[in-house]
């Protein structure tokens, strides 16, 4: 997955979101080591200080764990990753519902849409 | 430790024209800073003062606590807006030239970058396009292990693919002791790599802020914000 950054929102917030996504999708595996700040910054073409800021926030939330001598690791706490996944799904769902409401569809109609698209 | 760059009530006049007026500015180490402003706002004047090519009319400018001179030129790597290199020289001659001149010139790094950008060290400058010449100059400047890199319009004539490579080079050469000051109009291209931006207009500093703070407060990119602030 490549790093896609929009230009109207703070960069570090977008970096956090994309790292979340990479953890959920399994690109960054639970318990594995994260590349260095410098490498990640170069990969995403962002300032190393900005990447550092994003990683610090992720550490603060517990998703990343720092081992002083050997670098940063993705948490081994599966329940935390699972919870993040659910939160993200809820968020997507809310956006989706809001959009369809704006288009004037009722909850019943949306339900039919979903059932149809699942089949 | 002294700040890397400090300007106190710095002013520069050319005859009756005031180019810089009462500038107070501090740059810390370990930052990539964009110097942004419309044409004639004083960007190049500030850069020339940093490099000792101009002397302040009033106020002072200090690099590592020292006024510009021999000592500061050792630690400041400067890319001017116009070339000063001899057209007949070959790239490899230029590398030797820089190696003789600057004790902190890393020739290996320069050769690596030339290879990445497919520039032949045996070519002379006069056979090169405008953009390739710019790349050579930038390689020379970025191959020094300096404290402060001052780049005046470094990517103007360079194609977008090479621009990306050059910005990557700036990021990967980054270390916490050195700072890069970039003056440019191509804000959209550079804003993701900047820590902070300085907006300058009519010889005064309007704003010194981090890129993410501007995006947070204004809900738009620095590029869009610049267009709004300096709308003609």
């Amino acid at each position: 997955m490549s790093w896609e950054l929009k230009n109207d929102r703070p960069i570090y917030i977008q970096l956090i979101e994309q790292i979340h996504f990479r953890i959920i999708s399994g690109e960054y595996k639970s318990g594995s080591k994260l590349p260095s700040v410098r490498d990640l910054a170069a990969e995403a073409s962002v300032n190393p200080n900005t990447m550092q800021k994003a990683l610090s926030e992720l550490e603060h939330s517990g998703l990343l764990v720092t081992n002083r001598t050997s670098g940063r690791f993705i948490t081994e706490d599966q329940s935390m990753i699972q919870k993040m996944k659910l939160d993200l799904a809820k968020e997507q769902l809310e956006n989706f519902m809001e959009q369809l409401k704006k288009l004037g569809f009722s909850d019943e109609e949306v339900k039919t849409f979903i059932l149809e698209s699942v089949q | 430790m002294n700040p890397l760059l400090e300007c106190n009530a710095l002013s520069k006049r050319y005859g009756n024209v005031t180019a810089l007026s009462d500038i107070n500015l501090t740059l810390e180490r370990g930052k990539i800073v964009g110097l942004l402003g419309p044409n004639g706002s004083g960007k190049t004047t500030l850069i020339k003062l940093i490099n000792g090519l101009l002397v302040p009319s009033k106020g002072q400018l200090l690099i590592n606590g020292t006024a510009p001179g021999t000592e500061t030129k050792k630690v400041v790597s400067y890319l001017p807006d116009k070339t000063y290199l001899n057209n007949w020289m070959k790239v490899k001659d230029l590398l030797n030239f820089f190696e003789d001149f600057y004790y902190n010139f890393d020739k290996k790094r320069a050769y690596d970058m030339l290879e990445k950008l497919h520039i032949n060290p045996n070519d002379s400058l006069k056979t090169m396009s405008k953009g390739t010449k710019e790349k050579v100059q930038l390689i020379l400047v970025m191959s020094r292990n300096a404290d402060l890199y001052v780049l005046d319009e470094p990517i103007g004539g360079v194609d977008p693919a090479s621009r990306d490579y050059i910005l990557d080079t700036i990021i990967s050469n980054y270390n916490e002791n050195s700072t890069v000051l970039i003056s440019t109009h191509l804000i959209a291209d550079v804003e993701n790599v900047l820590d902070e931006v300085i907006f300058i207009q009519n010889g005064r500093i309007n704003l010194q802020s981090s890129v993410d703070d501007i995006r947070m407060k204004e809900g738009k990119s620095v590029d869009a914000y610049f267009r709004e602030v300096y709308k003609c």
Side-chain angles (χ1 to χ4, degrees), chain B residues 2 19 35 38-39 54 60 105 123 150 152 188 202:
Chain B
N2 289 312
L35 180 63
N39 302 116
L54 294 172
Q60 62 170 183
F105 185 72
D123 286 351
V150 183
D152 198 353
N202 298 330

Side-chain angles (χ1 to χ4, degrees), chain A:
Chain A
M1 199 175 93
S2 64
W3 298 83
E4 276 173 33
L5 300 172
K6 297 222 167 62
N7 58 22
D8 55 348
R9 296 171 54 227
I11 300 160
Y12 82 97
I13 291 176
Q14 300 185 63
L15 293 174
I16 291 174
E17 288 169 355
Q18 301 215 4
I19 293 171
H20 276 172
F21 198 78
R22 282 163 187 233
I23 294 174
I24 291 171
S25 70
E27 188 178 335
Y28 293 156
K29 291 194 175 52
S30 166
S32 69
K33 190 174 184 235
L34 200 70
S36 71
V37 174
R38 189 178 284 265
D39 288 346
L40 283 172
E43 201 185 293
S45 296
V46 298
N47 187 297
N49 293 324
T50 312
M51 185 56 83
Q52 175 67 45
K53 187 173 176 189
L55 296 187
S56 304
E57 296 264 321
L58 286 164
E59 260 172 53
H60 197 70
S61 71
L63 265 172
L64 296 182
V65 185
T66 301
N67 181 321
R68 261 179 221 293
T69 50
S70 51
R72 283 193 183 77
F73 292 82
I74 321 289
T75 180
E76 289 181 17
D77 185 349
Q78 287 294 343
S79 63
M80 192 182 235
I81 297 177
Q82 196 57 34
K83 184 179 176 296
M84 182 173 74
K85 194 171 172 176
L86 283 173
D87 286 348
L88 212 67
K90 265 185 207 146
E91 205 181 295
Q92 294 287 340
L93 203 63
E94 273 163 23
N95 287 340
F96 168 78
M97 291 300 290
E98 201 176 312
Q99 288 297 325
L100 285 176
K101 272 210 183 100
K102 270 189 202 156
L103 290 173
F105 291 106
S106 69
D107 286 358
E108 257 333 285
E109 281 170 307
V110 173
K111 217 177 187 174
T112 332
F113 285 154
I114 292 177
L115 286 173
E116 269 171 16
S117 67
V118 166
Q119 276 160 8

Side-chain angles (χ1 to χ4, degrees), chain A residues 5-12 14 38 42 45-50, chain B residues 30 32 168 171-172 174 192-195 211-212 215-216 219-221:
Chain A
L5 300 172
K6 297 222 167 62
N7 58 22
D8 55 348
R9 296 171 54 227
I11 300 160
Y12 82 97
Q14 300 185 63
R38 189 178 284 265
S45 296
V46 298
N47 187 297
N49 293 324
T50 312
Chain B
I32 304 176
D168 285 349
I171 298 173
S172 46
Y174 163 90
N192 280 3
V193 311
L194 300 179
D195 280 289
V211 170
D212 274 352
R215 289 183 178 207
M216 193 100 76
K220 56 181 74 137
S221 67

